[in-house]
Amino acid sequence: MSVTQAAAYAAPSAKAPLERTTVPRRPVGEHDILIEIKYAGICHSDIHQARDGWGEGIFPMVPGHEIAGVVAETGSAVTRYAVGDRVGVGCFVDSCRTCEYCLRGQEQYCVEGMTGTYNALDRSGEPTYGGYSTHLVVDENYAVRIPDALPLDQAAPLLCAGITLYSPLRHWGAGPGKKVAVVGLGGLGHMGVKIANALGAEVTVLSQSLRKQEDGLRLGATHYRATSDPATFTELSGTFDLIVSTLAVPVDLDRYLGLLKVDGALVNVGAPEEPVSLNLFSVITGRRTLAGSMIGGIAETQEMLDFCAEHGLGAEIEVIAADRINEAFERVLASDVRYRFVIDTSTI
């Protein structure tokens, strides 16, 4: 049932509203699977890219890298999946496969650069189109299996938001006896709270206001503090082993670094469009680390999905029809979603 054209929602140009269209999908090669997409999450990075916030994009652009669906066709050499399997695709669909990072299972840091699920050129030089679509063709090695215990709609955001928080929490050792702060309770942050709590850490949410405090505590936080209150930064000075910032706007890094213990780490997973400043004494005093983290490799993404299934951790979602994508973009920018929009792709 190979498809050469798939219905999709695309931004025809930078900052233009998304509109219904069709995009080409390559024939199913011997190592490919054809995915009938069921749900696609809306990530803040979709908005950054569709509006040229991170640099010049490739248009028309079909965003979407939080993809959950079902295998509809397999290539002749496929061994990992069969028709009917529940699968997901995250932020990339290929990499060089030979560099030290690809061989280590850290394809997201590929020396040649991973091939983004959208707004990228594939190895043949053709544009990639993302998950705001009905179908996707991908190499079987760049898909992951979605456990039966996870509803597909709740699983879709895990392919970006889930792995974006799981990877640094695991890398920096969140667990029993560790105090972890999550900055921002949004699409990323709410998964950080759930995962850090499931790992056994004591979790604090640092949010602009106390407006979402009840949610934060329900999702697994022990403490919830407002960053608009100066007392937060004095009373919590030197408290945390790990802080993960999910904010997509510039923040005062020095204030947050001051909340860390000696040898603590502030890890940024949100990517503001503007530069940020830093006083180096904030890291020198306390031997603190200022770091970043970007999604995760294929194996770690599968590990994350299995962990979430084991602990019953799906995303908190609002499912929408495709004709509400532009409205959803504006609501994301206004922080008016709890906590991830997910497109029902049957409505495309």
Coordinates of all heavy atoms in Angstrom, one line a residue, residues 47-133:
I47 N 7.3 25.7 16.4 CA 7.0 27.1 16.2 C 8.3 27.8 15.9 O 8.3 28.7 15.0 CB 6.3 27.6 17.5 CG1 5.0 26.8 17.8 CG2 5.9 29.1 17.3 CD1 4.3 27.2 19.1
H48 N 9.4 27.6 16.7 CA 10.6 28.2 16.4 C 11.0 28.1 15.0 O 11.5 29.0 14.3 CB 11.8 27.6 17.3 CG 11.7 28.0 18.7 ND1 11.8 29.3 19.2 CD2 11.6 27.3 19.9 CE1 11.8 29.4 20.5 NE2 11.7 28.2 21.0
Q49 N 10.9 26.8 14.5 CA 11.4 26.6 13.1 C 10.5 27.1 12.1 O 10.9 27.6 11.0 CB 11.6 25.1 13.0 CG 12.8 24.6 13.9 CD 13.1 23.1 13.7 OE1 13.7 22.7 12.7 NE2 12.7 22.3 14.7
A50 N 9.2 26.9 12.3 CA 8.2 27.4 11.3 C 8.2 28.9 11.1 O 7.8 29.5 10.1 CB 6.8 26.9 11.6
R51 N 8.8 29.6 12.2 CA 8.8 31.1 12.1 C 10.3 31.6 12.0 O 10.5 32.7 12.4 CB 8.1 31.6 13.4 CG 6.6 31.2 13.4 CD 5.8 31.8 14.5 NE 4.4 31.4 14.4 CZ 3.4 31.8 15.2 NH1 3.7 32.6 16.2 NH2 2.2 31.4 15.0
D52 N 11.2 30.7 11.6 CA 12.6 31.1 11.4 C 13.2 31.6 12.6 O 14.2 32.4 12.6 CB 12.7 32.1 10.2 CG 12.8 31.4 8.9 OD1 12.8 30.2 8.8 OD2 12.9 32.2 7.9
G53 N 12.8 31.1 13.8 CA 13.4 31.6 15.0 C 14.8 31.1 15.3 O 15.6 31.8 16.0
W54 N 15.1 30.0 14.7 CA 16.5 29.4 14.9 C 17.3 29.5 13.7 O 18.3 28.8 13.5 CB 16.3 27.9 15.3 CG 15.8 27.7 16.7 CD1 15.8 28.7 17.7 CD2 15.3 26.5 17.3 NE1 15.3 28.1 18.9 CE2 15.0 26.8 18.6 CE3 15.1 25.2 16.8 CZ2 14.4 25.8 19.5 CZ3 14.6 24.3 17.6 CH2 14.3 24.6 19.0
G55 N 16.9 30.4 12.7 CA 17.6 30.5 11.5 C 16.7 30.2 10.3 O 15.6 29.8 10.5
E56 N 17.3 30.3 9.1 CA 16.5 30.2 7.9 C 16.0 28.7 7.7 O 16.8 27.8 7.7 CB 17.3 30.6 6.7 CG 16.5 30.7 5.4 CD 17.3 31.4 4.3 OE1 18.3 31.9 4.6 OE2 16.8 31.2 3.1
G57 N 14.7 28.6 7.5 CA 14.1 27.2 7.4 C 14.0 26.8 5.9 O 14.2 27.6 5.0
I58 N 13.5 25.6 5.7 CA 13.3 25.0 4.4 C 11.8 24.9 4.3 O 11.1 24.3 5.0 CB 13.9 23.6 4.3 CG1 15.4 23.7 4.5 CG2 13.6 23.0 2.9 CD1 16.0 22.3 4.6
F59 N 11.2 25.7 3.3 CA 9.8 25.7 3.1 C 9.4 25.2 1.7 O 10.2 25.3 0.7 CB 9.3 27.2 3.2 CG 9.5 27.7 4.6 CD1 10.7 28.3 5.0 CD2 8.5 27.5 5.6 CE1 10.9 28.8 6.3 CE2 8.7 27.9 6.9 CZ 9.9 28.6 7.3
P60 N 8.2 24.6 1.6 CA 7.2 24.5 2.6 C 7.7 23.5 3.7 O 8.4 22.6 3.4 CB 6.0 23.9 1.9 CG 6.5 23.2 0.7 CD 7.7 24.1 0.3
M61 N 7.3 23.8 5.0 CA 7.7 23.0 6.1 C 6.5 22.3 6.8 O 5.6 23.0 7.1 CB 8.4 23.9 7.1 CG 9.0 23.2 8.3 SD 9.6 24.4 9.6 CE 10.8 25.3 8.8
V62 N 6.7 21.0 6.9 CA 5.7 20.2 7.7 C 6.4 19.9 9.0 O 7.3 19.0 9.1 CB 5.4 18.9 6.9 CG1 4.4 18.1 7.8 CG2 4.7 19.2 5.6
P63 N 6.0 20.6 10.1 CA 6.6 20.3 11.4 C 6.2 19.0 11.9 O 5.4 18.2 11.3 CB 6.2 21.5 12.3 CG 5.6 22.5 11.3 CD 5.1 21.7 10.2
G64 N 6.7 18.7 13.1 CA 6.3 17.5 13.8 C 7.3 16.4 14.0 O 7.7 15.8 13.0
H65 N 7.8 16.3 15.2 CA 8.8 15.2 15.5 C 8.4 14.5 16.8 O 9.3 13.9 17.5 CB 10.2 15.8 15.6 CG 10.4 16.9 16.6 ND1 11.4 17.8 16.4 CD2 9.8 17.2 17.8 CE1 11.4 18.7 17.4 NE2 10.4 18.3 18.3
E66 N 7.1 14.5 17.1 CA 6.6 13.6 18.2 C 5.5 12.8 17.6 O 4.3 13.1 17.6 CB 6.0 14.5 19.3 CG 7.1 15.4 20.0 CD 6.5 16.2 21.1 OE1 5.3 16.5 21.2 OE2 7.3 16.7 21.9
I67 N 6.0 11.7 17.0 CA 5.1 10.9 16.0 C 4.8 9.5 16.6 O 5.7 8.8 17.0 CB 5.8 10.7 14.7 CG1 6.1 12.1 14.1 CG2 5.0 9.9 13.7 CD1 7.1 12.1 12.9
A68 N 3.5 9.2 16.7 CA 3.1 7.9 17.1 C 2.1 7.3 16.1 O 1.2 8.0 15.6 CB 2.4 7.9 18.5
G69 N 2.4 6.0 15.7 CA 1.5 5.4 14.7 C 1.7 3.9 14.7 O 2.1 3.3 15.6
V70 N 1.3 3.4 13.5 CA 1.2 1.9 13.3 C 1.9 1.6 12.0 O 1.7 2.3 11.0 CB -0.2 1.4 13.3 CG1 -0.3 0.0 13.0 CG2 -0.9 1.7 14.7
V71 N 2.7 0.5 12.0 CA 3.4 0.1 10.8 C 2.3 -0.4 9.8 O 1.5 -1.3 10.1 CB 4.4 -1.0 11.1 CG1 5.0 -1.5 9.8 CG2 5.5 -0.5 12.0
A72 N 2.3 0.2 8.6 CA 1.4 -0.2 7.5 C 2.0 -1.0 6.4 O 1.3 -1.7 5.7 CB 0.8 1.1 6.9
E73 N 3.4 -0.9 6.3 CA 4.1 -1.7 5.3 C 5.5 -1.8 5.7 O 6.1 -0.9 6.3 CB 3.9 -1.0 3.9 CG 4.6 -1.8 2.8 CD 4.4 -1.0 1.4 OE1 3.6 -0.2 1.3 OE2 5.3 -1.3 0.5
T74 N 6.2 -2.9 5.4 CA 7.6 -3.1 5.7 C 8.4 -3.4 4.4 O 7.8 -4.1 3.5 CB 7.8 -4.2 6.7 OG1 7.3 -5.5 6.1 CG2 7.1 -3.9 8.0
G75 N 9.6 -3.0 4.4 CA 10.5 -3.3 3.3 C 10.9 -4.8 3.4 O 10.8 -5.5 4.4
S76 N 11.5 -5.3 2.3 CA 11.8 -6.7 2.2 C 12.9 -7.2 3.2 O 12.9 -8.4 3.6 CB 12.3 -7.1 0.8 OG 13.4 -6.3 0.5
A77 N 13.7 -6.3 3.7 CA 14.8 -6.7 4.6 C 14.5 -6.3 6.0 O 15.4 -6.4 6.9 CB 16.1 -6.1 4.1
V78 N 13.4 -5.8 6.3 CA 13.0 -5.3 7.7 C 12.9 -6.5 8.6 O 12.2 -7.5 8.3 CB 11.7 -4.5 7.7 CG1 11.2 -4.2 9.1 CG2 12.0 -3.1 7.0
T79 N 13.6 -6.4 9.8 CA 13.5 -7.4 10.8 C 13.0 -7.0 12.1 O 12.6 -7.8 12.9 CB 14.9 -8.0 11.0 OG1 15.8 -7.0 11.5 CG2 15.5 -8.6 9.7
R80 N 13.0 -5.7 12.4 CA 12.6 -5.2 13.7 C 11.1 -5.0 13.9 O 10.6 -5.1 15.0 CB 13.3 -3.8 13.9 CG 14.8 -3.8 14.0 CD 15.4 -2.4 13.9 NE 15.0 -1.6 15.0 CZ 15.7 -1.3 16.1 NH1 16.8 -2.0 16.3 NH2 15.2 -0.5 17.0
Y81 N 10.4 -4.8 12.8 CA 9.0 -4.5 12.9 C 8.1 -5.3 11.9 O 8.6 -5.7 10.9 CB 8.7 -3.0 12.7 CG 9.5 -2.1 13.7 CD1 10.6 -1.4 13.3 CD2 9.1 -2.1 15.0 CE1 11.3 -0.6 14.2 CE2 9.8 -1.3 16.0 CZ 10.9 -0.6 15.5 OH 11.6 0.1 16.5
A82 N 6.9 -5.4 12.3 CA 5.9 -6.1 11.4 C 4.7 -5.2 11.2 O 4.5 -4.3 12.0 CB 5.5 -7.4 11.9
V83 N 3.9 -5.4 10.2 CA 2.7 -4.6 10.0 C 1.8 -4.7 11.2 O 1.6 -5.8 11.8 CB 2.0 -5.1 8.7 CG1 0.6 -4.5 8.6 CG2 2.8 -4.8 7.5
G84 N 1.3 -3.6 11.6 CA 0.5 -3.6 12.8 C 1.2 -3.2 14.1 O 0.5 -2.9 15.1
D85 N 2.5 -3.2 14.1 CA 3.3 -2.8 15.3 C 3.1 -1.3 15.6 O 2.9 -0.5 14.7 CB 4.8 -3.1 15.1 CG 5.1 -4.5 15.2 OD1 4.2 -5.3 15.6 OD2 6.3 -4.9 14.9
R86 N 3.1 -1.0 16.9 CA 2.9 0.4 17.3 C 4.3 1.0 17.4 O 5.2 0.5 18.2 CB 2.2 0.4 18.7 CG 0.9 -0.3 18.7 CD 0.5 -0.6 20.2 NE -0.3 0.4 20.8 CZ 0.1 1.2 21.8 NH1 1.3 1.0 22.3 NH2 -0.7 2.1 22.3
V87 N 4.6 2.1 16.7 CA 5.9 2.6 16.6 C 5.9 4.2 16.8 O 4.8 4.8 16.6 CB 6.6 2.3 15.3 CG1 6.8 0.8 15.2 CG2 5.7 2.8 14.1
G88 N 7.1 4.7 17.1 CA 7.2 6.1 17.2 C 8.4 6.6 16.4 O 9.4 5.8 16.2
V89 N 8.4 7.9 16.1 CA 9.6 8.5 15.5 C 9.8 9.9 16.2 O 8.8 10.6 16.4 CB 9.4 8.7 14.0 CG1 10.6 9.6 13.4 CG2 9.3 7.4 13.3
G90 N 11.0 10.2 16.5 CA 11.3 11.4 17.3 C 11.9 12.5 16.4 O 11.5 12.7 15.2
C91 N 13.0 13.1 16.9 CA 13.5 14.3 16.2 C 14.4 14.1 15.0 O 14.8 15.0 14.4 CB 14.3 15.1 17.3 SG 13.2 15.7 18.6
F92 N 14.8 12.8 14.8 CA 15.7 12.6 13.6 C 15.4 11.3 13.0 O 14.8 10.4 13.6 CB 17.2 12.7 14.0 CG 17.6 11.7 15.1 CD1 18.1 10.4 14.7 CD2 17.5 12.0 16.4 CE1 18.5 9.5 15.7 CE2 17.9 11.1 17.4 CZ 18.4 9.9 17.0
V93 N 15.7 11.2 11.7 CA 15.3 10.0 10.9 C 16.5 9.4 10.2 O 16.4 8.4 9.5 CB 14.3 10.4 9.8 CG1 12.9 10.7 10.5 CG2 14.7 11.5 9.0
D94 N 17.7 9.9 10.5 CA 18.9 9.3 9.9 C 20.1 9.9 10.6 O 20.0 11.0 11.2 CB 19.0 9.5 8.4 CG 19.8 8.4 7.7 OD1 20.5 7.6 8.4 OD2 19.8 8.3 6.5
S95 N 21.3 9.3 10.4 CA 22.6 9.9 10.8 C 23.7 9.2 10.0 O 23.3 8.3 9.2 CB 22.8 9.7 12.3 OG 22.8 8.4 12.7
C96 N 24.9 9.5 10.2 CA 26.0 8.9 9.4 C 26.2 7.4 9.6 O 26.6 6.7 8.8 CB 27.3 9.7 9.5 SG 28.2 9.2 11.0
R97 N 25.9 7.0 10.9 CA 25.9 5.6 11.3 C 27.3 5.0 11.5 O 27.5 3.9 11.9 CB 25.2 4.7 10.3 CG 23.8 5.2 9.9 CD 23.1 4.2 9.0 NE 21.8 4.8 8.5 CZ 20.7 4.2 8.2 NH1 20.7 2.8 8.3 NH2 19.6 4.8 7.8
T98 N 28.4 5.8 11.2 CA 29.7 5.3 11.3 C 30.6 6.1 12.3 O 31.7 5.6 12.6 CB 30.4 5.4 9.9 OG1 30.4 6.7 9.4 CG2 29.7 4.4 8.9
C99 N 30.2 7.3 12.7 CA 31.1 8.1 13.6 C 31.0 7.5 15.0 O 30.2 6.6 15.3 CB 30.6 9.6 13.6 SG 29.1 9.9 14.5
E100 N 31.9 8.0 15.9 CA 32.0 7.4 17.2 C 30.7 7.6 18.0 O 30.3 6.7 18.8 CB 33.1 8.0 18.0 CG 33.0 9.5 18.2 CD 34.2 10.1 19.1 OE1 34.4 9.5 20.2 OE2 34.8 11.0 18.7
Y101 N 30.0 8.7 17.7 CA 28.7 8.9 18.5 C 27.6 8.0 18.0 O 26.8 7.5 18.8 CB 28.4 10.4 18.5 CG 29.5 11.2 19.0 CD1 30.3 12.0 18.2 CD2 29.8 11.2 20.4 CE1 31.3 12.7 18.7 CE2 30.9 11.9 20.9 CZ 31.7 12.7 20.0 OH 32.7 13.4 20.5
C102 N 27.5 7.9 16.7 CA 26.5 6.9 16.2 C 26.7 5.5 16.6 O 25.8 4.8 17.0 CB 26.5 7.0 14.6 SG 25.7 8.5 13.9
L103 N 28.0 5.1 16.6 CA 28.3 3.8 17.0 C 28.1 3.6 18.5 O 27.9 2.4 19.0 CB 29.8 3.4 16.7 CG 30.1 3.4 15.2 CD1 31.6 3.2 15.0 CD2 29.3 2.3 14.5
R104 N 28.1 4.7 19.3 CA 27.9 4.6 20.7 C 26.4 4.7 21.1 O 26.0 4.7 22.2 CB 28.6 5.8 21.4 CG 28.9 5.7 22.8 CD 29.5 7.0 23.4 NE 30.8 7.2 22.8 CZ 31.5 8.3 23.0 NH1 31.0 9.4 23.6 NH2 32.7 8.4 22.5
G105 N 25.5 4.9 20.0 CA 24.1 5.0 20.3 C 23.7 6.4 20.7 O 22.7 6.6 21.3
Q106 N 24.5 7.4 20.3 CA 24.2 8.8 20.6 C 24.1 9.5 19.2 O 24.8 10.5 18.9 CB 25.3 9.4 21.4 CG 25.4 8.8 22.8 CD 26.5 9.4 23.6 OE1 27.5 9.9 23.1 NE2 26.4 9.4 24.9
E107 N 23.2 9.0 18.4 CA 23.0 9.5 17.0 C 22.7 11.0 17.0 O 23.0 11.7 16.0 CB 22.0 8.7 16.3 CG 22.2 7.2 16.2 CD 21.6 6.4 17.3 OE1 21.3 6.9 18.3 OE2 21.5 5.2 17.1
Q108 N 22.1 11.5 18.1 CA 21.7 12.9 18.1 C 22.9 13.8 18.0 O 22.8 15.0 17.7 CB 20.9 13.2 19.3 CG 21.6 13.3 20.6 CD 21.7 12.0 21.3 OE1 21.9 11.0 20.7 NE2 21.7 12.1 22.7
Y109 N 24.1 13.3 18.4 CA 25.4 14.1 18.3 C 26.3 13.7 17.1 O 27.5 13.9 17.2 CB 26.1 13.9 19.6 CG 25.3 14.4 20.8 CD1 25.1 13.5 21.9 CD2 24.8 15.6 20.9 CE1 24.4 13.9 23.0 CE2 24.0 16.0 22.0 CZ 23.8 15.2 23.1 OH 23.1 15.6 24.2
C110 N 25.7 13.1 16.1 CA 26.4 12.6 14.9 C 27.4 13.7 14.4 O 27.0 14.9 14.3 CB 25.4 12.2 13.8 SG 26.1 11.8 12.3
V111 N 28.6 13.3 14.1 CA 29.6 14.2 13.7 C 29.2 14.9 12.4 O 29.4 16.1 12.2 CB 31.0 13.5 13.5 CG1 32.0 14.4 12.8 CG2 31.5 13.1 14.9
E112 N 28.5 14.2 11.5 CA 28.1 14.8 10.2 C 26.8 15.5 10.4 O 26.3 16.2 9.5 CB 27.9 13.7 9.2 CG 29.3 13.1 8.7 CD 29.1 12.1 7.6 OE1 28.0 12.1 7.0 OE2 30.0 11.3 7.3
G113 N 26.1 15.3 11.5 CA 24.8 16.0 11.8 C 23.7 15.0 11.5 O 23.7 14.3 10.5
M114 N 22.9 14.8 12.5 CA 21.7 14.0 12.3 C 20.8 14.6 11.2 O 20.8 15.8 11.0 CB 20.9 13.8 13.6 CG 20.3 15.1 14.1 SD 19.5 14.9 15.7 CE 18.8 16.6 15.9
T115 N 20.0 13.8 10.6 CA 19.0 14.2 9.7 C 17.7 14.5 10.4 O 17.0 13.5 10.9 CB 18.7 13.2 8.5 OG1 20.0 13.0 7.9 CG2 17.7 13.7 7.5
G116 N 17.3 15.7 10.5 CA 16.1 16.1 11.3 C 14.8 15.5 10.6 O 14.8 15.3 9.4
T117 N 13.8 15.2 11.4 CA 12.6 14.6 10.9 C 11.9 15.6 10.0 O 11.1 15.2 9.1 CB 11.7 14.2 12.1 OG1 12.4 13.3 12.9 CG2 10.4 13.6 11.7
Y118 N 12.1 16.9 10.2 CA 11.6 17.9 9.3 C 12.6 19.0 9.2 O 13.6 19.1 10.0 CB 10.2 18.4 9.6 CG 10.2 19.2 10.9 CD1 10.3 20.6 10.9 CD2 10.0 18.6 12.2 CE1 10.2 21.3 12.1 CE2 9.9 19.3 13.3 CZ 10.0 20.7 13.3 OH 9.9 21.4 14.4
N119 N 12.4 19.9 8.3 CA 13.3 21.1 8.1 C 14.8 20.7 8.0 O 15.7 21.3 8.6 CB 13.1 22.1 9.3 CG 13.8 23.4 9.0 OD1 13.9 23.9 7.9 ND2 14.2 24.1 10.1
A120 N 15.0 19.7 7.2 CA 16.3 19.2 6.9 C 16.4 18.6 5.5 O 15.4 18.4 4.9 CB 16.7 18.1 8.0
L121 N 17.6 18.3 5.1 CA 17.8 17.6 3.8 C 18.2 16.2 4.1 O 19.2 16.0 4.9 CB 18.8 18.3 2.9 CG 18.4 19.7 2.5 CD1 19.6 20.4 1.7 CD2 17.1 19.7 1.7
D122 N 17.6 15.2 3.5 CA 18.0 13.8 3.7 C 19.3 13.5 3.0 O 19.9 14.4 2.3 CB 16.9 12.8 3.4 CG 16.5 12.8 1.9 OD1 17.3 13.2 1.1 OD2 15.4 12.3 1.6
R123 N 19.8 12.3 3.0 CA 21.1 11.9 2.5 C 21.1 12.0 0.9 O 22.1 12.1 0.3 CB 21.4 10.5 2.9 CG 21.5 10.3 4.4 CD 22.8 10.8 4.9 NE 22.7 11.1 6.4 CZ 23.7 11.5 7.1 NH1 24.9 11.7 6.6 NH2 23.5 11.8 8.4
S124 N 19.9 12.1 0.3 CA 19.8 12.2 -1.1 C 19.6 13.7 -1.5 O 19.5 14.0 -2.7 CB 18.7 11.4 -1.7 OG 17.4 11.8 -1.2
G125 N 19.5 14.6 -0.5 CA 19.4 16.0 -0.8 C 17.9 16.5 -0.9 O 17.7 17.6 -1.2
E126 N 17.0 15.6 -0.5 CA 15.6 16.0 -0.6 C 15.1 16.5 0.8 O 15.6 16.0 1.8 CB 14.7 14.8 -1.0 CG 15.0 14.3 -2.4 CD 14.7 15.4 -3.5 OE1 13.6 16.0 -3.3 OE2 15.5 15.6 -4.4
P127 N 14.2 17.4 0.8 CA 13.7 17.9 2.1 C 13.0 16.8 2.9 O 12.3 16.0 2.3 CB 12.7 19.1 1.7 CG 13.1 19.4 0.3 CD 13.6 18.1 -0.3
T128 N 13.1 16.9 4.2 CA 12.3 16.0 5.1 C 11.1 16.7 5.5 O 11.1 17.9 5.7 CB 13.1 15.5 6.3 OG1 13.6 16.7 7.0 CG2 14.3 14.7 5.9
Y129 N 10.0 16.0 5.7 CA 8.7 16.5 6.1 C 8.2 15.7 7.3 O 8.3 14.5 7.3 CB 7.7 16.4 5.0 CG 8.0 17.2 3.7 CD1 8.4 16.5 2.6 CD2 8.0 18.6 3.7 CE1 8.8 17.2 1.4 CE2 8.4 19.3 2.6 CZ 8.8 18.6 1.5 OH 9.1 19.3 0.3
G130 N 7.8 16.4 8.3 CA 7.5 15.8 9.6 C 6.1 15.2 9.8 O 5.4 14.8 8.9
G131 N 5.7 15.2 11.1 CA 4.6 14.4 11.5 C 3.2 15.0 11.4 O 2.3 14.3 11.7
Y132 N 3.1 16.2 11.1 CA 1.8 16.8 10.9 C 1.3 16.3 9.5 O 1.1 17.0 8.6 CB 1.8 18.3 10.8 CG 2.3 19.1 12.1 CD1 2.8 18.4 13.2 CD2 2.1 20.5 12.1 CE1 3.2 19.1 14.3 CE2 2.5 21.2 13.2 CZ 3.0 20.5 14.3 OH 3.5 21.2 15.4
S133 N 1.1 15.0 9.4 CA 0.9 14.3 8.2 C 0.2 12.9 8.5 O 0.2 12.5 9.6 CB 2.3 14.1 7.5 OG 2.1 13.4 6.2

